[in-house]
Structures are given as structure tokens and as C-alpha cells.
Amino acid sequence: MELDYRKSREELEKLQGNLRKAPEGIWCYELEEPLDTKLPVQAQCQWIFEKAILTHCNEALARMYGYSKVEDIIGIHLKDLFFPNIQTNLDILAEFVGNGYKTHDAESTEVDRNGNQKYFVNTSLGVVENGVLLRAWGVQKDITAMKNSELRLKRTIGLEGLLSEISRNFLRVDPGQTHEAINFALERLGEFTGADRAYIFLFTNAGLAISNSNEWCADGIPRQMHRLQNLPITVFPMENLEALRKTGVFVYNSADEIPENHTVLREFFQSMGLKSSIVVGLVSVDSEIGFLGLDSISKVRTWTEEDGYVLRLVADLVVLALDRKKRESDLNDFYERMNHDLELARITQRSLVAREFPDSPFFQVVSYFRPFEKVGGDIITYVQHESGVIDILFGDVSGHGISSAMVSGMAVLSFKYHARSGLSPAKGIQEFIKDLKPMVVEHHIATVWVRFFPLEKKLLYCYAGHPPIILFRGDQMIELKGMNLPLLIFDSIDYFDESLDLQAGDRLVFYSDGMYEVFNKQGRILDLSAFQEILNSYRELNSLQEYIEQVIADVFQFSEGTFSDDMAMLVIDIKK
């Protein structure tokens, strides 16, 4: 009996030692009062939030919250760690209750003892006895570093989008619309930073006065620009103006930071209802012309270095707009760089669109591609295997321009990888989806994957939303069967292979929807059936190049030289 007791005690001490050494945080929350599991879910969530107390944990968990010892955190309430106004935290409690008092890898947003925001992934299990919840045990991992990196990446992408949108708008408008363009920039800046007010002041009267020239206010924030005209420069203390000249910025996170001897500025803050402000200078050709600022009116706010950085970048764009005549050459240079980048993108995409195909006594292939913009989203590419078998991908990414071209580039790379592995077209498309789904959000792809066996005169193909391939055989014009939905729109779509035995003299025609979704000046569409009539009318031409040129000429004759989408064709002739 003594041996059994000693063995059990040793096992318990070993278990406790493992828990203490575990890298994950391990915890147990007890409820001050047991929870009736028959209460509504919302009431149960509130009960847990209010009455859960940490009673057990290991050192790893204590360190996650900034505590050096377990004893220092034991006894803390869940409500002192959780942010109740964050939706993910409300969801995790609702998930815990709704899933029978357990969660798996549920993400929470919490706060450590120093007020730092932390992110955790939690797996938990509740203990229910006689219809009441007594406690919950759980394991959590600290994902704060990963989450912060993700947030910084999203912020950086958002900032790039903000600056691109503002700069494009400045480039697009006439000089007479600069005022409206600056208002647009202030609106986007205010929304991006979460400010209540964004504004520009310009020096007037040889620098002796200053006026509010532009203003944006969030919903519910009263406009003030009409009150802020021709203010004496003495409203702003000389120290603030010197700070603008020396560092380019001055910041007041609260009115309490304004020195007591700056009574005019204190009164200005009070009259405007300001809680916090940050201001950067507007400098044109080494001379100050005014400043750009953000105000927080609804709450006291601590402005960050990033806020100042974003403000400076937007200020530079505003200066370019205000000084447009002097800086017009700089704007043109920027536009030239954009065009240069677009030209590089066009050249890159042309390398991904196959223009030349292998010479063969058994077949001939000719393609055509014309993007709507400098770059487009149509796909024409192939892989030839050592056996002579050729895999061809012909498709169309939704939209046009740079984003569509980027997706088409990813699609080509994925196709070439899976085609070389020998997967059938249908299986290759399934792998294709796995590659692109995590990266492509706002586009879908209409495509067809073809495997051509020249010696056997056989075609294996799989549709994914692409217009039907046309087969010309003798006097017949045949639409190849097997239509299916485009890629990246719906999940769990089954794609399947179709096969076709070919004959000498057959002609296969692939085309994008941009070939027939064209309009004339009267607004009439060419449509698919009319386009197929054009294809049929030139079927007797032996030269594939001449065949494509005649088809394109008829399409442009109908549309009177205009088109609104990328245009692509691929034609295969079976020789013998």
C-alpha cells in the first residue's frame, strides 16, 4: 500500500513538474458561483466574464501577462484581462458555451499587466457537474509577435494603397480642381488614421496671418473652417513654429501638455473642443507655406511615430498639388516612372503569353493576344513533354490591368509546375485551385486545360468556365461538350476530363469572352453566336495567321475599332 501511495505521489509530482516546464500557458479559471447551463447563451457569457477567477496556472502563462511569479497573477478576474468590446473575445465566449463548453485554437485579444495588447490562441475544456459549470481548464499560445507582424503588413499595404490613391487623384485632376483633390486626400487620410478632423492651414499676408484652407470632419464632428480665417500668427506660439521648422512636426497628446504660459493656444484648444493634435509643416522649395494636421475631438489620443510618418508623406503630396505649376515636371516624372513600370509589367506578361509554338509535321498552332490596358489577364501558355505530348492552358482572369496580370502570372507558374508532374487536366486544375485560393481574393479565372497527343491524334481537356472550344471537321462546326464553373468562385466544385479523337484536317479554335463581348456605337453586342458565325465564315482559309487576322478584322469592323476587354485566340490545325 505504501509503495502504491509513493508511486502515485511521484507520478503527480512528475506531472506538476511537466506542467511547470511546458512552453504553453496552462490555466484554470474557477467560477465564483456555479453557472446554470440552462441559461441563455448571452447570459452565460456575461456570467463567465464577470465571475471567472484564475486559480491555477504555470509560469509560462504568468510570463505571458508580464508577471515573474505564478503567485502574482493567481486570483485575477477574466474581465481584467479580456477586452469585452472586441468581437473576437465575444465570439470566443459564445463558441465556448455553444460548443458544449470547449474551444479549439480560438483567438483572443487581451492585455498584460503593463497595458500592452496581447494575442493568444486558446484550447479549453469546461467542467460541468449536475447541470452547472464549475471551472474550465485550458492551454494557450502567445501569437502576439506573429499577429503584430500581420497587422504591420496590413497597415503597410493599406498605406501604399492610400498614397497610391491620393497621388493618382492628384495626377488625374486639372489644376483648377486642386482644392477638391486636397479635400479628397484629407478624407482618405482622416479615415486611415482614425482622426476626427484633418485640415490644412496656409500662411497669408506675408506670413503674418494663417487661414484654414481645407477641412475634413468625421461624422458628428462640426466643421470649423469658417471660423478659422485670417487668424493672427500669434495664435500659435513661436516655439511651435520653430518646432515645425526644425523637426517638421509638433504634437499635443492632450491639452495638459500645452505650457501654462501659452494661454492663447490653450484657449484655442478649448474653443475648438480639441483633445489631441498632431501637425506637420508644408514646405515648398525650402519655404514654409503652412501645415497639415489631425485632431482628436472625441477622446484623448497618443499620436505615434507612424501617425507622423503618414502625415509627412501625405503632406509631400499636398505640397506637390499646391505648387503644381512649379512641380509639374516632378509630377510628369512620377507619371513617366509609372508608365515605365507598366511597360516592364507588359513585357513580363508577354513572356508569359505564348506567341510561338513547336513546329511539327502533325499540327500547327497560332495564337493572338491584345490586352485592353498595357497589361491584361488573359492566359496562353504550354508545356511540351519529352514524349511530344503538349499541355496547353488557355484562360481569362476577371478584370484587366495590373492586378489581373499578376494573377495570370501566378496561374501560369502553377500550371507549368503541375503540368510537368503529369497530372491529368482535371486533377491539375484541382491543384491549381489549392495554389491560388489563398492568394487570390477578388478575381476568378475562366480557363480550359488541354492535353494534346499529336501521334495518337487525341485531345484530353477540362473546362473551368471557359467558352466552348470550336471544332471544325469537314462541313461541321461542333462545340466541344463539358462546360463547368470558373475557378475561385465556389468551393468544392468537381472538375472532370473529357476526351476527343482527332482527325487530319480538324481545326480547333479557342477564344476569350473579350472576342465576342464587344459593342458597337449603337450599344449592340456582337454576342457568341455572331462571333461563331465569323469563325465559320473563314474556315476554308489554310493559313492560320490569315484566318486569325480576318476574324479580328471582322470583330473590329463590328465594334468600329473599340474594345473593352482583353482579347485572345488560339487555333490548332491537325495536319496528318
Side-chain angles (χ1 to χ4, degrees), residues 540-560:
E540 299 300 329
L541 291 174
N542 291 325
S543 167
L544 291 188
Q545 191 64 46
E546 185 179 357
Y547 176 75
I548 289 179
E549 288 174 357
Q550 288 294 337
V551 170
I552 298 298
D554 277 21
V555 171
F556 273 92
Q557 182 179 2
F558 173 86
S559 67
E560 298 171 275

Side-chain angles (χ1 to χ4, degrees), residues 379 393-398 407 411 414 425-426 428-434 436-437 440 442-449 462-466 484-491 493-495:
I379 301 167
L393 186 71
F394 187 93
D396 180 16
V397 178
S398 61
V407 174
S414 176
I429 279 180
Q430 295 289 359
E431 294 301 315
F432 197 75
I433 294 170
K434 292 178 185 178
L436 299 183
K437 188 73 173 177
V440 179
E442 297 182 355
H443 292 279
H444 63 268
I445 304 175
T447 190
V448 59
W449 184 325
C462 177
Y463 281 117
H466 196 271
N484 210 329
L485 295 172
L487 307 179
L488 309 179
I489 294 183
F490 302 103
D491 295 328
I493 300 297
D494 291 326
Y495 293 92

Side-chain angles (χ1 to χ4, degrees), residues 21-38:
K21 295 176 183 178
E24 297 86 2
I26 300 174
W27 51 258
C28 176
Y29 281 95
E30 296 270 355
L31 293 175
E32 292 176 307
E33 299 176 43
L35 169 63
D36 184 352
T37 57
K38 295 179 181 179

